[in-house]
Amino acid sequence: MTQIGAVDGRAEPSSRAEAVLAGLDDEQRAAASAVTGPVCILAGAGTGKTRTITHRIAYGVHTGTYVAEQVLAVTFTARAAGELRSRLAGLGVGGVQARTFHAAAMRQLRYFAPRVLGGPMPALIENKLRVVASAATRNRLTTDRTSLRDLASEIEWAKTTLATPEDYPARAKAAGRETPFEPAAVAAVYESYESAKQRDGSLDFEDLLLVTAYALEEHQDVARAVRAQYRHFVVDEYQDVNPLQQRLLDAWLGGRAELCVVGDPNQTIYSFTGANPDYLLGFADRYPDAEVVKLERDYRSTPQVVGLANKLIGMAPRRKGLPGLRLLGQRADGAEPRFAEHPDEPAEAAAVAARCRALIDEGLPAAEIAVLFRINAQSEVYENALAAAGVPYVLRGGERFFERPEVREAVLLLRGAAAGGNEPGMLVPAVRDVLASTGWAEHRPPPGGAARDRWQSLAALVDLAVDLVAENPSLDLAGFVTHLAERADQQHAPTVQGVTLASMHAAKGLEWDVVFVVGLVEGVLPIAQSFSRPDAVEEERRLLYVAITRAREQLTLSWSLARNPGGRRSRPRSQFLTGLAPESGPTAPPARRSTKRPKVVLEGEAGELFERLRTWRSQAAQSASVPAYVVFTDATLQAIAESRPATLRELAGLPGIGAKKLELYGDDVLAAVSG
């Protein structure tokens, strides 16, 4: 698709407006020129939604329909907001407020706090765990770090769905939540957590939205000021909006309909956090005069990848609401997606690592390859396999790039060096010299582990300097430091050269030339917790759809029949592969499924041990007054029964067994295994 450059700011408004539309396809043009009233843009994966909404805003400004400063574009990440601002600047439009929900609320609440709260902006709790831990202790709950994180997640879910401590138990039950403790106990912790915040006079991130919405709803002077400032709204990723965000959006709008929403119902994958796709699906019902535009031309992936994605999502039940999307591949033909079955997980990982090694040796940059899995616990076997094959890798979803200690140290040193001045054209050597002072050596990467991660972070800064100098040869060290500060503010990390290891959720919004989607077995994808609810299973299908549509050129989907070498090869591959992959090996049940969780069936000694472990688990759960799954899930018991660990070390290597559970139950489990 033809790309257009910056719009000449000296051109006549009409010519500038037409130039904004010049490089768009017919559907994108229709969406970009719909600048008034309620508009819903259904944008499939790879169809250019960011391009479309930035051109729409620019067209509205250049035609005089919008005043740039009166447009508020809301995104879900600071990086996406930064991308919007950058593209708008390239289209000759400055002054548009592109922010996350939280950043927009923070800006408004900080200004109006004296009026609304009677004083300055309260302190913000950036990490709930400390307050949650105190609240749990007050309620006599024994917790480890995992259960604290689960409690914090439940409190966040409750607040984003507007559930109070009083109605949390009923709401959690209705939503089918798998709570870390009994719902009443979670509600008690939630209430103690809220009380602690009130005593400390602090707010959490959910409060930012809640208090800002309250300020607009209850303070007419605040509402008049905000609504006079912002007259046109754009909301990206609208399928991921939760009730709390929708309440704030409604408060901003104040009954007006100058709203453009952009979303893809096929990429609804965050319901577990409180996101509600009904706001997108029901948009035309709420706004009967809304203009609905579908973007279906996929410019990202080959027709072969697009065809597989369409086939997968086409098997899903039809959802009530807006029309569905069917992607239309626009690229030249490519390789057919591959399907691979392996005897066990280490063999699957070794095969992926070998293929990555071969691709890199053929000249493909490691950063253009990704390995995507359902749960983070699956990453370890791939880390080991890639390290053994000498393939650099990057774990996505961990610590933010600019918050890494080595990066923070490097930026401080670069800032100090910039203060001393340097000659234009000498940026890259200057950056290398500064990093060398920390012990970094460009051509001597460590073999693996934390040292390798540190080396890759610093190498990414050098690579970024090289790229920037190619665009602007006169860039000096001071300009580079300023650029780094802007990137840090936008959470726009430079590319780190390594194969990306990421969960499917963390991969949303990203893309690579080559993608491996791994571990596609029942109980992992779809995840076992989803089996009791058909809607949850369908969300797992959409998660696989997101993973597939990350691939530009090559796609491999794989699964393994056993967890460990020598284990019984009985694990059924994912039900979502039925009708997609060649029929070989154990298969999942057909598309019509029971809403009950499938029973684990093991034979011989493994079956006897599994039942022995279930009996022990029931006793342990009764003794601790917790549900059985809190002790161990059936999937973990199955792993134990299949692998028959003989030592605590072997037991610790199985999924679902952390340090706390090893301490609590390890000896008892080994006793059950030994009979």
PDB file of all heavy atoms in Angstrom, residues 534-564:
ATOM      1  N   PRO A 534     -18.311 -22.287  27.882  1.00  0.00           N
ATOM      2  CA  PRO A 534     -18.112 -22.177  26.428  1.00  0.00           C
ATOM      3  C   PRO A 534     -17.592 -20.819  25.988  1.00  0.00           C
ATOM      4  O   PRO A 534     -16.786 -20.730  25.062  1.00  0.00           O
ATOM      5  CB  PRO A 534     -19.512 -22.446  25.866  1.00  0.00           C
ATOM      6  CG  PRO A 534     -20.187 -23.281  26.910  1.00  0.00           C
ATOM      7  CD  PRO A 534     -19.669 -22.776  28.222  1.00  0.00           C
ATOM      8  N   ASP A 535     -18.042 -19.724  26.635  1.00  0.00           N
ATOM      9  CA  ASP A 535     -17.562 -18.401  26.231  1.00  0.00           C
ATOM     10  C   ASP A 535     -16.073 -18.245  26.513  1.00  0.00           C
ATOM     11  O   ASP A 535     -15.347 -17.578  25.759  1.00  0.00           O
ATOM     12  CB  ASP A 535     -18.366 -17.303  26.934  1.00  0.00           C
ATOM     13  CG  ASP A 535     -18.224 -17.355  28.441  1.00  0.00           C
ATOM     14  OD1 ASP A 535     -18.151 -18.471  29.002  1.00  0.00           O
ATOM     15  OD2 ASP A 535     -18.199 -16.287  29.089  1.00  0.00           O
ATOM     16  N   ALA A 536     -15.595 -18.881  27.595  1.00  0.00           N
ATOM     17  CA  ALA A 536     -14.168 -18.813  27.907  1.00  0.00           C
ATOM     18  C   ALA A 536     -13.360 -19.622  26.901  1.00  0.00           C
ATOM     19  O   ALA A 536     -12.249 -19.229  26.519  1.00  0.00           O
ATOM     20  CB  ALA A 536     -13.916 -19.322  29.324  1.00  0.00           C
ATOM     21  N   VAL A 537     -13.897 -20.759  26.463  1.00  0.00           N
ATOM     22  CA  VAL A 537     -13.213 -21.553  25.437  1.00  0.00           C
ATOM     23  C   VAL A 537     -13.097 -20.746  24.145  1.00  0.00           C
ATOM     24  O   VAL A 537     -12.058 -20.758  23.475  1.00  0.00           O
ATOM     25  CB  VAL A 537     -13.950 -22.885  25.194  1.00  0.00           C
ATOM     26  CG1 VAL A 537     -13.383 -23.614  23.981  1.00  0.00           C
ATOM     27  CG2 VAL A 537     -13.856 -23.783  26.423  1.00  0.00           C
ATOM     28  N   GLU A 538     -14.154 -20.021  23.779  1.00  0.00           N
ATOM     29  CA  GLU A 538     -14.112 -19.228  22.554  1.00  0.00           C
ATOM     30  C   GLU A 538     -13.123 -18.068  22.658  1.00  0.00           C
ATOM     31  O   GLU A 538     -12.532 -17.660  21.661  1.00  0.00           O
ATOM     32  CB  GLU A 538     -15.505 -18.719  22.199  1.00  0.00           C
ATOM     33  CG  GLU A 538     -16.429 -19.808  21.685  1.00  0.00           C
ATOM     34  CD  GLU A 538     -15.798 -20.621  20.559  1.00  0.00           C
ATOM     35  OE1 GLU A 538     -15.209 -20.018  19.639  1.00  0.00           O
ATOM     36  OE2 GLU A 538     -15.868 -21.859  20.607  1.00  0.00           O
ATOM     37  N   GLU A 539     -12.921 -17.557  23.861  1.00  0.00           N
ATOM     38  CA  GLU A 539     -11.887 -16.534  24.023  1.00  0.00           C
ATOM     39  C   GLU A 539     -10.508 -17.136  23.785  1.00  0.00           C
ATOM     40  O   GLU A 539      -9.617 -16.479  23.239  1.00  0.00           O
ATOM     41  CB  GLU A 539     -11.958 -15.889  25.409  1.00  0.00           C
ATOM     42  CG  GLU A 539     -10.917 -14.798  25.585  1.00  0.00           C
ATOM     43  CD  GLU A 539     -11.363 -13.674  26.500  1.00  0.00           C
ATOM     44  OE1 GLU A 539     -12.557 -13.314  26.483  1.00  0.00           O
ATOM     45  OE2 GLU A 539     -10.512 -13.134  27.212  1.00  0.00           O
ATOM     46  N   GLU A 540     -10.324 -18.393  24.180  1.00  0.00           N
ATOM     47  CA  GLU A 540      -9.064 -19.076  23.898  1.00  0.00           C
ATOM     48  C   GLU A 540      -8.862 -19.241  22.390  1.00  0.00           C
ATOM     49  O   GLU A 540      -7.743 -19.142  21.884  1.00  0.00           O
ATOM     50  CB  GLU A 540      -9.059 -20.443  24.588  1.00  0.00           C
ATOM     51  CG  GLU A 540      -9.095 -20.380  26.111  1.00  0.00           C
ATOM     52  CD  GLU A 540      -7.770 -19.942  26.695  1.00  0.00           C
ATOM     53  OE1 GLU A 540      -6.774 -20.666  26.533  1.00  0.00           O
ATOM     54  OE2 GLU A 540      -7.725 -18.857  27.309  1.00  0.00           O
ATOM     55  N   ARG A 541      -9.937 -19.481  21.656  1.00  0.00           N
ATOM     56  CA  ARG A 541      -9.838 -19.562  20.202  1.00  0.00           C
ATOM     57  C   ARG A 541      -9.349 -18.221  19.637  1.00  0.00           C
ATOM     58  O   ARG A 541      -8.479 -18.167  18.769  1.00  0.00           O
ATOM     59  CB  ARG A 541     -11.201 -19.912  19.583  1.00  0.00           C
ATOM     60  CG  ARG A 541     -11.149 -20.029  18.045  1.00  0.00           C
ATOM     61  CD  ARG A 541     -12.538 -20.055  17.434  1.00  0.00           C
ATOM     62  NE  ARG A 541     -13.325 -21.160  17.922  1.00  0.00           N
ATOM     63  CZ  ARG A 541     -13.256 -22.412  17.446  1.00  0.00           C
ATOM     64  NH1 ARG A 541     -12.425 -22.689  16.456  1.00  0.00           N
ATOM     65  NH2 ARG A 541     -14.015 -23.363  17.955  1.00  0.00           N
ATOM     66  N   ARG A 542      -9.914 -17.139  20.154  1.00  0.00           N
ATOM     67  CA  ARG A 542      -9.493 -15.824  19.667  1.00  0.00           C
ATOM     68  C   ARG A 542      -8.035 -15.543  20.022  1.00  0.00           C
ATOM     69  O   ARG A 542      -7.328 -14.850  19.285  1.00  0.00           O
ATOM     70  CB  ARG A 542     -10.420 -14.743  20.237  1.00  0.00           C
ATOM     71  CG  ARG A 542     -11.866 -14.864  19.746  1.00  0.00           C
ATOM     72  CD  ARG A 542     -12.677 -13.636  20.081  1.00  0.00           C
ATOM     73  NE  ARG A 542     -12.891 -13.450  21.498  1.00  0.00           N
ATOM     74  CZ  ARG A 542     -13.893 -14.007  22.188  1.00  0.00           C
ATOM     75  NH1 ARG A 542     -14.764 -14.792  21.586  1.00  0.00           N
ATOM     76  NH2 ARG A 542     -14.029 -13.762  23.474  1.00  0.00           N
ATOM     77  N   LEU A 543      -7.578 -16.089  21.135  1.00  0.00           N
ATOM     78  CA  LEU A 543      -6.177 -15.922  21.514  1.00  0.00           C
ATOM     79  C   LEU A 543      -5.261 -16.608  20.499  1.00  0.00           C
ATOM     80  O   LEU A 543      -4.222 -16.056  20.104  1.00  0.00           O
ATOM     81  CB  LEU A 543      -5.948 -16.498  22.915  1.00  0.00           C
ATOM     82  CG  LEU A 543      -4.588 -16.253  23.551  1.00  0.00           C
ATOM     83  CD1 LEU A 543      -4.263 -14.775  23.628  1.00  0.00           C
ATOM     84  CD2 LEU A 543      -4.556 -16.872  24.955  1.00  0.00           C
ATOM     85  N   LEU A 544      -5.652 -17.796  20.036  1.00  0.00           N
ATOM     86  CA  LEU A 544      -4.880 -18.468  18.989  1.00  0.00           C
ATOM     87  C   LEU A 544      -4.936 -17.662  17.688  1.00  0.00           C
ATOM     88  O   LEU A 544      -3.932 -17.568  16.961  1.00  0.00           O
ATOM     89  CB  LEU A 544      -5.410 -19.887  18.773  1.00  0.00           C
ATOM     90  CG  LEU A 544      -4.719 -20.697  17.674  1.00  0.00           C
ATOM     91  CD1 LEU A 544      -3.219 -20.810  17.924  1.00  0.00           C
ATOM     92  CD2 LEU A 544      -5.352 -22.100  17.566  1.00  0.00           C
ATOM     93  N   TYR A 545      -6.082 -17.073  17.395  1.00  0.00           N
ATOM     94  CA  TYR A 545      -6.222 -16.218  16.210  1.00  0.00           C
ATOM     95  C   TYR A 545      -5.238 -15.054  16.274  1.00  0.00           C
ATOM     96  O   TYR A 545      -4.572 -14.724  15.283  1.00  0.00           O
ATOM     97  CB  TYR A 545      -7.663 -15.710  16.134  1.00  0.00           C
ATOM     98  CG  TYR A 545      -7.953 -14.723  15.035  1.00  0.00           C
ATOM     99  CD1 TYR A 545      -8.302 -15.146  13.758  1.00  0.00           C
ATOM    100  CD2 TYR A 545      -7.911 -13.348  15.274  1.00  0.00           C
ATOM    101  CE1 TYR A 545      -8.600 -14.236  12.750  1.00  0.00           C
ATOM    102  CE2 TYR A 545      -8.196 -12.431  14.270  1.00  0.00           C
ATOM    103  CZ  TYR A 545      -8.541 -12.878  13.016  1.00  0.00           C
ATOM    104  OH  TYR A 545      -8.832 -11.974  12.025  1.00  0.00           O
ATOM    105  N   VAL A 546      -5.128 -14.428  17.439  1.00  0.00           N
ATOM    106  CA  VAL A 546      -4.176 -13.332  17.614  1.00  0.00           C
ATOM    107  C   VAL A 546      -2.758 -13.832  17.360  1.00  0.00           C
ATOM    108  O   VAL A 546      -1.966 -13.185  16.671  1.00  0.00           O
ATOM    109  CB  VAL A 546      -4.299 -12.725  19.029  1.00  0.00           C
ATOM    110  CG1 VAL A 546      -3.112 -11.823  19.342  1.00  0.00           C
ATOM    111  CG2 VAL A 546      -5.601 -11.951  19.160  1.00  0.00           C
ATOM    112  N   ALA A 547      -2.416 -15.013  17.910  1.00  0.00           N
ATOM    113  CA  ALA A 547      -1.069 -15.549  17.726  1.00  0.00           C
ATOM    114  C   ALA A 547      -0.777 -15.809  16.250  1.00  0.00           C
ATOM    115  O   ALA A 547       0.306 -15.477  15.743  1.00  0.00           O
ATOM    116  CB  ALA A 547      -0.908 -16.833  18.541  1.00  0.00           C
ATOM    117  N   ILE A 548      -1.719 -16.398  15.544  1.00  0.00           N
ATOM    118  CA  ILE A 548      -1.524 -16.711  14.118  1.00  0.00           C
ATOM    119  C   ILE A 548      -1.311 -15.442  13.307  1.00  0.00           C
ATOM    120  O   ILE A 548      -0.434 -15.380  12.435  1.00  0.00           O
ATOM    121  CB  ILE A 548      -2.733 -17.512  13.586  1.00  0.00           C
ATOM    122  CG1 ILE A 548      -2.707 -18.936  14.149  1.00  0.00           C
ATOM    123  CG2 ILE A 548      -2.745 -17.531  12.060  1.00  0.00           C
ATOM    124  CD1 ILE A 548      -3.950 -19.745  13.828  1.00  0.00           C
ATOM    125  N   THR A 549      -2.097 -14.407  13.598  1.00  0.00           N
ATOM    126  CA  THR A 549      -2.034 -13.188  12.788  1.00  0.00           C
ATOM    127  C   THR A 549      -0.846 -12.300  13.135  1.00  0.00           C
ATOM    128  O   THR A 549      -0.703 -11.210  12.576  1.00  0.00           O
ATOM    129  CB  THR A 549      -3.338 -12.379  12.922  1.00  0.00           C
ATOM    130  OG1 THR A 549      -3.605 -12.123  14.315  1.00  0.00           O
ATOM    131  CG2 THR A 549      -4.506 -13.122  12.307  1.00  0.00           C
ATOM    132  N   ARG A 550       0.054 -12.761  14.010  1.00  0.00           N
ATOM    133  CA  ARG A 550       1.308 -12.032  14.252  1.00  0.00           C
ATOM    134  C   ARG A 550       2.324 -12.331  13.154  1.00  0.00           C
ATOM    135  O   ARG A 550       3.318 -11.623  13.023  1.00  0.00           O
ATOM    136  CB  ARG A 550       1.928 -12.430  15.595  1.00  0.00           C
ATOM    137  CG  ARG A 550       1.109 -12.187  16.861  1.00  0.00           C
ATOM    138  CD  ARG A 550       0.550 -10.804  16.950  1.00  0.00           C
ATOM    139  NE  ARG A 550      -0.809 -10.753  16.415  1.00  0.00           N
ATOM    140  CZ  ARG A 550      -1.450  -9.643  16.096  1.00  0.00           C
ATOM    141  NH1 ARG A 550      -0.842  -8.477  16.190  1.00  0.00           N
ATOM    142  NH2 ARG A 550      -2.680  -9.674  15.633  1.00  0.00           N
ATOM    143  N   ALA A 551       2.131 -13.407  12.390  1.00  0.00           N
ATOM    144  CA  ALA A 551       3.114 -13.859  11.406  1.00  0.00           C
ATOM    145  C   ALA A 551       2.946 -13.136  10.081  1.00  0.00           C
ATOM    146  O   ALA A 551       1.846 -13.092   9.536  1.00  0.00           O
ATOM    147  CB  ALA A 551       2.991 -15.362  11.194  1.00  0.00           C
ATOM    148  N   ARG A 552       4.045 -12.620   9.556  1.00  0.00           N
ATOM    149  CA  ARG A 552       4.001 -11.987   8.242  1.00  0.00           C
ATOM    150  C   ARG A 552       4.186 -13.021   7.134  1.00  0.00           C
ATOM    151  O   ARG A 552       3.457 -13.018   6.151  1.00  0.00           O
ATOM    152  CB  ARG A 552       5.102 -10.929   8.115  1.00  0.00           C
ATOM    153  CG  ARG A 552       5.018  -9.773   9.072  1.00  0.00           C
ATOM    154  CD  ARG A 552       6.022  -8.694   8.656  1.00  0.00           C
ATOM    155  NE  ARG A 552       6.246  -7.718   9.713  1.00  0.00           N
ATOM    156  CZ  ARG A 552       7.317  -7.664  10.482  1.00  0.00           C
ATOM    157  NH1 ARG A 552       8.282  -8.559  10.327  1.00  0.00           N
ATOM    158  NH2 ARG A 552       7.453  -6.733  11.407  1.00  0.00           N
ATOM    159  N   GLU A 553       5.194 -13.899   7.261  1.00  0.00           N
ATOM    160  CA  GLU A 553       5.580 -14.745   6.132  1.00  0.00           C
ATOM    161  C   GLU A 553       5.563 -16.242   6.433  1.00  0.00           C
ATOM    162  O   GLU A 553       5.116 -17.027   5.610  1.00  0.00           O
ATOM    163  CB  GLU A 553       6.988 -14.338   5.648  1.00  0.00           C
ATOM    164  CG  GLU A 553       7.041 -12.908   5.138  1.00  0.00           C
ATOM    165  CD  GLU A 553       8.450 -12.461   4.803  1.00  0.00           C
ATOM    166  OE1 GLU A 553       9.380 -13.289   4.918  1.00  0.00           O
ATOM    167  OE2 GLU A 553       8.623 -11.281   4.439  1.00  0.00           O
ATOM    168  N   GLN A 554       6.084 -16.659   7.569  1.00  0.00           N
ATOM    169  CA  GLN A 554       6.156 -18.076   7.881  1.00  0.00           C
ATOM    170  C   GLN A 554       5.510 -18.341   9.230  1.00  0.00           C
ATOM    171  O   GLN A 554       5.706 -17.588  10.190  1.00  0.00           O
ATOM    172  CB  GLN A 554       7.614 -18.557   7.916  1.00  0.00           C
ATOM    173  CG  GLN A 554       8.334 -18.450   6.586  1.00  0.00           C
ATOM    174  CD  GLN A 554       9.743 -19.018   6.669  1.00  0.00           C
ATOM    175  OE1 GLN A 554      10.000 -20.025   7.335  1.00  0.00           O
ATOM    176  NE2 GLN A 554      10.690 -18.371   5.983  1.00  0.00           N
ATOM    177  N   LEU A 555       4.760 -19.439   9.296  1.00  0.00           N
ATOM    178  CA  LEU A 555       4.027 -19.788  10.517  1.00  0.00           C
ATOM    179  C   LEU A 555       4.130 -21.281  10.751  1.00  0.00           C
ATOM    180  O   LEU A 555       3.906 -22.075   9.840  1.00  0.00           O
ATOM    181  CB  LEU A 555       2.555 -19.375  10.380  1.00  0.00           C
ATOM    182  CG  LEU A 555       1.606 -19.819  11.498  1.00  0.00           C
ATOM    183  CD1 LEU A 555       1.935 -19.092  12.799  1.00  0.00           C
ATOM    184  CD2 LEU A 555       0.150 -19.556  11.095  1.00  0.00           C
ATOM    185  N   THR A 556       4.477 -21.660  11.989  1.00  0.00           N
ATOM    186  CA  THR A 556       4.504 -23.067  12.385  1.00  0.00           C
ATOM    187  C   THR A 556       3.691 -23.235  13.660  1.00  0.00           C
ATOM    188  O   THR A 556       3.880 -22.476  14.622  1.00  0.00           O
ATOM    189  CB  THR A 556       5.946 -23.554  12.623  1.00  0.00           C
ATOM    190  OG1 THR A 556       6.698 -23.419  11.417  1.00  0.00           O
ATOM    191  CG2 THR A 556       5.958 -25.009  13.063  1.00  0.00           C
ATOM    192  N   LEU A 557       2.792 -24.210  13.659  1.00  0.00           N
ATOM    193  CA  LEU A 557       2.025 -24.555  14.855  1.00  0.00           C
ATOM    194  C   LEU A 557       2.426 -25.959  15.284  1.00  0.00           C
ATOM    195  O   LEU A 557       2.464 -26.870  14.448  1.00  0.00           O
ATOM    196  CB  LEU A 557       0.523 -24.480  14.587  1.00  0.00           C
ATOM    197  CG  LEU A 557      -0.019 -23.099  14.215  1.00  0.00           C
ATOM    198  CD1 LEU A 557      -0.043 -22.914  12.703  1.00  0.00           C
ATOM    199  CD2 LEU A 557      -1.420 -22.886  14.787  1.00  0.00           C
ATOM    200  N   SER A 558       2.718 -26.123  16.580  1.00  0.00           N
ATOM    201  CA  SER A 558       3.237 -27.420  17.018  1.00  0.00           C
ATOM    202  C   SER A 558       2.664 -27.822  18.364  1.00  0.00           C
ATOM    203  O   SER A 558       2.127 -27.010  19.115  1.00  0.00           O
ATOM    204  CB  SER A 558       4.769 -27.379  17.084  1.00  0.00           C
ATOM    205  OG  SER A 558       5.211 -26.439  18.046  1.00  0.00           O
ATOM    206  N   TRP A 559       2.806 -29.128  18.658  1.00  0.00           N
ATOM    207  CA  TRP A 559       2.346 -29.691  19.926  1.00  0.00           C
ATOM    208  C   TRP A 559       3.178 -30.927  20.219  1.00  0.00           C
ATOM    209  O   TRP A 559       3.861 -31.463  19.349  1.00  0.00           O
ATOM    210  CB  TRP A 559       0.858 -30.046  19.857  1.00  0.00           C
ATOM    211  CG  TRP A 559       0.516 -31.057  18.796  1.00  0.00           C
ATOM    212  CD1 TRP A 559       0.395 -32.404  18.931  1.00  0.00           C
ATOM    213  CD2 TRP A 559       0.290 -30.781  17.395  1.00  0.00           C
ATOM    214  NE1 TRP A 559       0.089 -32.991  17.730  1.00  0.00           N
ATOM    215  CE2 TRP A 559       0.020 -32.022  16.772  1.00  0.00           C
ATOM    216  CE3 TRP A 559       0.281 -29.625  16.631  1.00  0.00           C
ATOM    217  CZ2 TRP A 559      -0.250 -32.132  15.407  1.00  0.00           C
ATOM    218  CZ3 TRP A 559       0.012 -29.730  15.280  1.00  0.00           C
ATOM    219  CH2 TRP A 559      -0.253 -30.968  14.675  1.00  0.00           C
ATOM    220  N   SER A 560       3.133 -31.381  21.465  1.00  0.00           N
ATOM    221  CA  SER A 560       3.879 -32.581  21.855  1.00  0.00           C
ATOM    222  C   SER A 560       2.956 -33.524  22.606  1.00  0.00           C
ATOM    223  O   SER A 560       2.063 -33.099  23.348  1.00  0.00           O
ATOM    224  CB  SER A 560       5.091 -32.220  22.710  1.00  0.00           C
ATOM    225  OG  SER A 560       4.729 -31.388  23.797  1.00  0.00           O
ATOM    226  N   LEU A 561       3.189 -34.805  22.405  1.00  0.00           N
ATOM    227  CA  LEU A 561       2.280 -35.826  22.928  1.00  0.00           C
ATOM    228  C   LEU A 561       2.533 -36.171  24.387  1.00  0.00           C
ATOM    229  O   LEU A 561       1.681 -36.780  25.037  1.00  0.00           O
ATOM    230  CB  LEU A 561       2.388 -37.097  22.067  1.00  0.00           C
ATOM    231  CG  LEU A 561       2.047 -36.896  20.580  1.00  0.00           C
ATOM    232  CD1 LEU A 561       2.233 -38.207  19.824  1.00  0.00           C
ATOM    233  CD2 LEU A 561       0.638 -36.365  20.409  1.00  0.00           C
ATOM    234  N   ALA A 562       3.699 -35.840  24.914  1.00  0.00           N
ATOM    235  CA  ALA A 562       4.007 -36.076  26.327  1.00  0.00           C
ATOM    236  C   ALA A 562       4.719 -34.848  26.869  1.00  0.00           C
ATOM    237  O   ALA A 562       5.342 -34.084  26.121  1.00  0.00           O
ATOM    238  CB  ALA A 562       4.883 -37.313  26.499  1.00  0.00           C
ATOM    239  N   ARG A 563       4.650 -34.660  28.164  1.00  0.00           N
ATOM    240  CA  ARG A 563       5.321 -33.514  28.758  1.00  0.00           C
ATOM    241  C   ARG A 563       6.821 -33.748  28.853  1.00  0.00           C
ATOM    242  O   ARG A 563       7.624 -32.864  28.559  1.00  0.00           O
ATOM    243  CB  ARG A 563       4.738 -33.236  30.146  1.00  0.00           C
ATOM    244  CG  ARG A 563       5.352 -32.032  30.837  1.00  0.00           C
ATOM    245  CD  ARG A 563       4.627 -31.674  32.117  1.00  0.00           C
ATOM    246  NE  ARG A 563       3.363 -31.003  31.842  1.00  0.00           N
ATOM    247  CZ  ARG A 563       2.172 -31.567  31.967  1.00  0.00           C
ATOM    248  NH1 ARG A 563       2.077 -32.831  32.355  1.00  0.00           N
ATOM    249  NH2 ARG A 563       1.062 -30.911  31.702  1.00  0.00           N
ATOM    250  N   ASN A 564       7.211 -34.945  29.275  1.00  0.00           N
ATOM    251  CA  ASN A 564       8.618 -35.244  29.497  1.00  0.00           C
ATOM    252  C   ASN A 564       9.072 -36.418  28.640  1.00  0.00           C
ATOM    253  O   ASN A 564       8.254 -37.278  28.274  1.00  0.00           O
ATOM    254  CB  ASN A 564       8.860 -35.574  30.976  1.00  0.00           C
ATOM    255  CG  ASN A 564       8.495 -34.416  31.888  1.00  0.00           C
ATOM    256  OD1 ASN A 564       8.985 -33.316  31.721  1.00  0.00           O
ATOM    257  ND2 ASN A 564       7.616 -34.684  32.856  1.00  0.00           N
TER     258      ASN A 564
END
